[in-house]
Amino acid sequence: MVIVRLLLWLLIFYVFFRLARFVGRTLATIRVLNQSARSTPTRSSAGDGHLIKDPQCGTYFLESEAVHAVIDGREYRFCCEKCRDAFLQERRKA
Ligand SMILES: [Zn+2]
């Protein structure tokens, strides 16, 4: 009986260990995702692999692939030239 209980405890420890590792990895992934979503575009310090939001269409895209435009002294970044042109046009109308 003692051996059975010992094996049972070993099993519980094993499952717990696996679960802890899985949770740890999942939390790390979530933290990375939150960081990239929260990072707002800071001027010109272009870090590759950062996700930024297109002010025109709201899409998240890589900072390194951004289309730049300076409007009224502020730098804007867009996912494509189409969005930049549309944004400029709306600005001109307003
Ligand atoms: Zn866009």
Side-chain angles (χ1 to χ4, degrees):
M1 273 311 271
V2 176
I3 283 170
V4 174
R5 271 176 69 175
L6 204 74
L7 280 172
L8 207 73
W9 273 111
L10 271 171
L11 196 77
I12 288 164
F13 273 122
Y14 177 73
V15 169
F16 185 79
F17 187 71
R18 288 289 300 257
L19 209 73
R21 266 184 58 169
F22 175 76
V23 170
R25 225 181 307 143
T26 309
L27 284 176
T29 311
I30 289 166
R31 221 173 296 138
V32 167
L33 285 172
N34 277 345
Q35 265 173 8
S36 51
R38 227 184 295 128
S39 67
T40 43
T42 45
R43 50 181 55 200
S44 74
S45 58
D48 279 41
H50 272 234
L51 284 176
I52 55 172
K53 196 180 175 185
D54 187 316
Q56 177 62 25
C57 67
T59 306
Y60 283 93
F61 59 99
L62 283 174
E63 196 173 9
S64 53
E65 291 169 9
V67 178
H68 292 252
V70 178
I71 304 156
D72 296 333
R74 250 198 85 178
E75 194 184 12
Y76 292 89
R77 277 165 245 203
F78 304 93
C79 71
C80 60
E81 280 166 33
K82 242 171 152 181
C83 284
R84 184 197 58 191
D85 293 346
F87 190 81
L88 280 169
Q89 237 169 26
E90 271 175 35
R91 267 306 188 95
R92 243 175 255 147
K93 258 188 254 162

